[in-house]
Amino acid sequence: MAVAIVDYGMGNLHSVSKAIERLGYESLVTGDADAILAAESVILPGVGAFGDAMEHLRSSGLDTVVKDVAAGGQPLLGICLGMQLLFSSGEEYGTHEGLDIVPGSVIRFEPREGFKVPHMGWNRLNFTQGESPLLQGLEEGHVYFVHSYHALVGRESDLIAVTDYGFPVTAVVGRENVFGMQFHPEKSGELGMKLLGNFLKLKRQ
């Protein structure tokens, strides 16, 4: 069964699809609800603004589909903006409701001397929850970030990895069958591909 990449008009679909294929899995870029719900696992990508993305999801009915994926036990992975959409709310250009699958909020980096916004480039992952299936067999290393907003988890137990950008920044989250990566695993070299590979090994709960 293919890995469904949710196409809602905002996402780096091609690079994610190619990364999945390099790992030996079949991918399907689709906005069809039945195809998404039938997939072995689901990836929610995202590039752009939080509010616009949620509007695209709602107007297509895919917000409900993604919530059904999470509730139904299919492995679900949000990447970059896709991770942020899993949270309860986002504060980009006003406050917007998110999918509310992972409790917490997404806020803008405050300007600080020595730290540019957006946070862009390679930064080290520090694992906070070593027993997560995403981290099995992996060692801490660097991955590639591009973001101006960061997530504040509502439950510390949902935090899997952080990166340091003057303070611990949420980098990987997970609870049950739902996961999120703030960075782009498909652009993050060997560690990114291994993280993506570990996700693709997960089975429907």
Side-chain angles (χ1 to χ4, degrees):
M1 189 71 70
V3 179
I5 303 171
V6 181
D7 183 4
Y8 60 102
M10 294 180 69
N12 196 359
L13 307 177
H14 180 73
S15 64
V16 175
S17 176
K18 286 298 182 185
I20 291 170
E21 291 173 10
R22 287 202 303 273
L23 289 166
Y25 295 84
E26 180 185 354
S27 66
L28 174 66
V29 176
T30 181
D32 180 77
D34 290 340
I36 293 168
L37 292 170
E40 184 66 34
S41 55
V42 177
I43 294 179
L44 179 67
V47 176
F50 190 104
D52 290 345
M54 284 304 304
E55 179 57 35
H56 279 259
L57 283 171
R58 289 195 190 95
S59 64
S60 61
L62 290 172
D63 59 331
T64 300
V65 175
V66 174
K67 290 180 181 181
D68 288 345
V69 167
Q74 287 165 275
L76 170 65
L77 173 64
I79 294 176
C80 198
L81 176 61
M83 183 199 89
Q84 296 181 357
L85 298 176
L86 299 176
F87 282 80
S88 308
S89 64
E91 297 181 2
E92 188 170 4
Y93 305 118
T95 301
H96 307 275
E97 289 185 7
L99 293 169
D100 199 25
I101 296 170
V102 179
S105 59
V106 178
I107 66 171
R108 185 171 175 81
F109 281 109
E110 292 294 333
R112 288 165 298 134
E113 187 174 350
F115 296 93
K116 295 180 179 179
V117 179
H119 170 212
M120 182 181 298
W122 293 85
N123 212 343
R124 186 176 178 83
L125 278 188
N126 300 306
F127 300 162
T128 61
Q129 195 184 122
E131 68 274 14
S132 170
L134 280 194
L135 306 182
Q136 293 306 303
L138 304 186
E139 295 182 359
E140 295 179 346
H142 289 72
V143 292
Y144 190 77
F145 292 87
V146 183
H147 61 124
S148 299
Y149 291 77
H150 64 99
L152 301 175
V153 295
R155 285 182 300 217
E156 201 69 23
S157 59
D158 291 342
L159 196 59
I160 292 176
V162 298
T163 193
D164 182 71
Y165 202 59
F167 63 94
V169 175
T170 299
V172 185
V173 295
R175 56 187 309 263
E176 299 175 352
N177 57 305
V178 178
F179 301 90
M181 300 180 191
Q182 178 60 72
F183 51 91
H184 290 272
E186 75 281 8
K187 298 178 181 179
S188 294
E190 184 178 2
L191 178 55
M193 291 297 284
K194 285 181 176 179
L195 283 161
L196 187 57
N198 276 351
F199 169 76
L200 295 173
K201 292 174 185 175
L202 301 176
K203 302 299 182 185
R204 187 189 296 253
Q205 294 183 2

